[in-house]
Amino acid sequence: MNNVTIINHPLISHKVALLRSKSTNTKQFRELVEEISVLLTYEAFKDIPTVSVSVETPLETAVQQTIAENSVAIVPILRAGLGMVNGVHTLFPTAKVGHIGMYRDEETCTPREYYCKLPQGIENKICIVLDPMLATGGSAIAAVDILKQKGAKSIKCMHIIAAPEGIKALHQAHPDVQIYCAVQDRQLNGDNYILPGLGDAGDRLFGTK
Ligand code: PRP
Ligand code: URA
């Protein structure tokens, strides 16, 4: 599928194995989500536009590609997407953060929006939507819908574990959006949880339940 990248890198895979384990505690889970997010960001921004600058080294002038200030906006989907923000900030320390509050209705598994606050000027930035879990794809699709309604033109979605159903749905709804996933899992279960997955990402990240 065009615009869909499953990273499958050994360094990421190793950390995802630890993340999945039911014996991984909240502190370790939070650290792993952040570490994986740094690695995903490195991959997802391979194509970021650069500008050429001249730098005086101790020996001569070097011409080097750099990234323009303020070219990225980080958009976590609450709650679990929050765990990925620090990882992206490690590589884009000055990026502004917009929040989209969304939860899945327990009966229907459809997303319910409860909050949205975005930085100014998203129409001129690359928006990176963060959510560790892409299950049915409903939450990510709704978040991208919101960003597009608010004027965003360049959007990437970054997930740690994705179900085939979610990747297909997100790609079909928004074929222009670049999707990056650390790993692709087997399937959804009857409750639309990812198998083998890692359980409920928000609960594991914040120690609820
Ligand atoms: C989880 C997860 C995603 C969503 C994925 O959030 O963090 O946002 O489910 O499922 P989908 O692809 O089927 O939409 P949840 O709704 O449990 O909310 P929470 O982060 O507040 O716990
Ligand atoms: N949300 C989660 O946190 N986990 C899943 O497996 C599916 C949706």
Side-chain angles (χ1 to χ4, degrees):
M1 257 182 282
N2 248 353
N3 276 347
V4 177
T5 306
I6 312 295
I7 311 281
N8 276 331
H9 189 289
L11 285 171
I12 296 181
S13 176
H14 183 90
K15 290 179 189 298
V16 171
L18 296 169
L19 193 69
R20 289 186 195 276
S21 170
K22 63 182 181 188
S23 51
T24 294
N25 66 29
T26 301
K27 175 178 182 286
Q28 295 162 332
F29 192 90
R30 207 167 46 232
E31 290 167 355
L32 285 162
V33 167
E34 185 173 329
E35 289 165 10
I36 293 166
S37 301
V38 178
L39 298 170
L40 286 175
T41 304
Y42 177 79
E43 186 66 26
F45 283 91
K46 268 203 308 212
D47 62 349
I48 190 169
T50 56
V51 285
S52 203
V53 296
S54 294
V55 189
E56 294 306 318
T57 81
L59 299 178
E60 56 175 52
T61 303
V63 177
Q64 193 67 49
Q65 299 304 309
T66 59
I67 296 162
E69 270 287 295
N70 286 321
S71 49
V72 170
I74 305 172
V75 186
I77 300 178
L78 308 184
R79 291 177 298 164
L82 287 174
M84 300 175 76
V85 174
N86 283 350
V88 185
H89 263 154
T90 299
L91 299 184
F92 292 104
T94 60
K96 304 277 194 300
V97 182
H99 295 87
I100 296 181
M102 199 93 76
Y103 70 91
R104 292 200 313 181
D105 181 283
E106 285 193 3
E107 297 286 305
T108 62
C109 280
T110 51
R112 297 268 181 271
E113 183 198 336
Y114 60 87
Y115 187 77
C116 180
K117 180 88 176 171
L118 300 172
Q120 285 184 340
I122 58 162
E123 56 282 2
N124 300 317
K125 296 180 193 292
I126 302 169
C127 295
I128 179 88
V129 175
L130 307 179
D131 197 325
M133 309 305 277
L134 182 67
T136 65
S139 304
I141 291 169
V144 173
D145 285 341
I146 292 167
L147 285 173
K148 286 186 174 175
Q149 280 159 22
K150 305 274 186 189
K153 295 185 185 69
S154 174
I155 303 172
K156 294 174 187 278
C157 286
M158 212 163 81
H159 309 280
I160 297 179
I161 297 187
E165 295 90 330
I167 295 172
K168 190 168 169 218
L170 177 56
H171 179 65
Q172 269 178 3
H174 296 293
D176 56 309
V177 168
Q178 291 175 301
I179 305 168
Y180 297 88
C181 311
V183 295
Q184 178 175 326
D185 269 9
R186 195 177 69 246
Q187 66 182 95
L188 297 176
N189 71 8
D191 295 322
N192 286 325
Y193 271 77
I194 300 173
L195 297 176
L198 50 70
D200 188 300
D203 284 342
R204 296 201 60 186
L205 196 59
F206 296 109
T208 42
K209 256 194 195 151

